[in-house]
């Protein structure tokens, strides 16, 4: 049975799901009727964060142009440039057993590619969700539907995984940013230039 979470909720992920070591983080969305003439290209990313909440380099930032990080523990499966169709639009695979000890938190984010330039924002995106699936059994463990509270934001932190002793927990975040990927990178300690 899938657990549906609300913004801000936290859940023990590995403690309540014994044997869960590898998950597929599926992210999906639809775009509202929009006559801008340009497709929405939403991009999932993962930020691997040290104890101070910051990423330190390229191995700590996983996205379509850097599809693997954290010593191979986090993998982006590919870029979907239109978001067409049902189900997951992009996926990030996380192997908790391989995450380096210095990584304490993983932020899963979605940005709108050139959102500012194209006049696009998350207010024009609907049915956005993140779901966590056990890679071994293909069972959906939890789901967080974002809702539509974002009128100007071009980047959203969907969720975070964080370490609690030997276990990993999940938090539904839903925190929006203006300024797209650059603002998100700055938030997590990286320079997007």
């Amino acid at each position: 049975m899938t657990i549906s979470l609300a913004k801000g909720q936290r859940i023990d992920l590995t403690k309540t799901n014994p044997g869960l070591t590898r998950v597929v983080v599926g992210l999906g969305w639809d775009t509202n009727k929009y006559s801008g003439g340009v497709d929405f290209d939403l991009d999932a990313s993962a930020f691997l964060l040290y104890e101070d909440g910051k990423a330190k380099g390229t191995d700590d930032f996983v996205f379509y142009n850097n599809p693997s990080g954290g010593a191979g523990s986090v993998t982006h499966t590919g870029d979907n440039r239109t978001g067409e169709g049902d189900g997951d639009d992009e996926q990030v695979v996380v192997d908790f057993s391989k995450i380096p000890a210095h990584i304490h938190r993983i932020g899963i984010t979605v940005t709108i590619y050139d959102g500012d330039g194209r006049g696009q924002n998350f207010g024009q995106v609907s049915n956005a969700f993140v779901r966590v699936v056990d890679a071994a059994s293909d069972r959906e463990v939890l789901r967080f539907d974002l809702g539509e509270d974002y009128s100007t934001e071009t980047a959203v932190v969907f969720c975070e995984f964080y370490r609690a002793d030997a276990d990993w927990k999940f938090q539904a975040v839903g925190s929006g940013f203006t300024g797209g990927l650059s603002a998100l990178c700055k938030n997590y300690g990286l320079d997007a230039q």
Side-chain angles (χ1 to χ4, degrees):
M1 183 178 92
T2 300
I3 297 172
S4 288
L5 299 177
K7 183 174 177 173
Q9 276 190 295
R10 300 169 185 254
I11 188 170
D12 282 325
L13 190 59
T14 55
K15 188 185 285 186
T16 56
N17 294 280
L20 182 71
T21 56
R22 198 164 168 265
V23 296
V24 176
V25 183
L27 301 123
W29 51 79
D30 295 318
T31 54
N32 298 337
K33 299 292 180 243
Y34 175 69
S35 59
V38 181
D39 282 335
F40 273 70
D41 179 7
L42 275 67
D43 296 314
S45 303
F47 291 86
L48 286 74
L49 309 173
Y50 286 61
E51 198 167 12
D52 65 359
K54 303 295 183 191
K56 306 297 181 191
T58 53
D59 195 50
D60 303 331
F61 178 39
V62 176
F63 68 114
Y64 63 88
N65 265 349
N66 187 39
S68 180
S73 62
V74 178
T75 310
H76 190 291
T77 64
D79 190 16
N80 176 337
R81 294 180 181 224
T82 64
E84 293 294 316
D86 293 332
D88 299 342
D89 291 311
E90 293 195 8
Q91 294 179 329
V92 175
V93 179
V94 178
D95 188 335
F96 295 114
S97 69
K98 292 182 179 176
I99 295 172
H102 63 269
I103 299 298
H104 289 259
R105 188 175 287 266
I106 300 169
I108 304 292
T109 68
V110 176
T111 55
I112 300 175
Y113 178 78
D114 194 25
D116 291 330
R118 295 176 177 183
Q120 299 172 340
N121 60 60
F122 272 93
Q124 299 158 329
V125 173
S126 58
N127 304 320
F129 68 86
V130 58
R131 66 192 195 108
V132 175
V133 176
D134 181 342
S137 67
D138 207 29
R139 177 181 64 91
E140 186 174 287
V141 177
L142 62 85
R143 181 182 184 97
F144 169 43
D145 292 298
L146 243 60
E148 298 176 46
D149 301 336
Y150 312 96
S151 57
T152 61
E153 291 84 350
T154 52
V156 175
V157 177
F158 274 44
C159 65
E160 289 186 344
F161 296 98
Y162 62 98
R163 222 183 263 276
D165 297 320
D167 292 305
W168 283 89
K169 296 185 178 196
F170 175 94
Q171 179 178 5
V173 177
S175 179
F177 289 80
T178 55
L181 184 60
S182 178
L184 212 49
C185 285
K186 187 174 182 181
N187 176 66
Y188 283 130
L190 296 176
D191 183 355
Q193 304 310 319

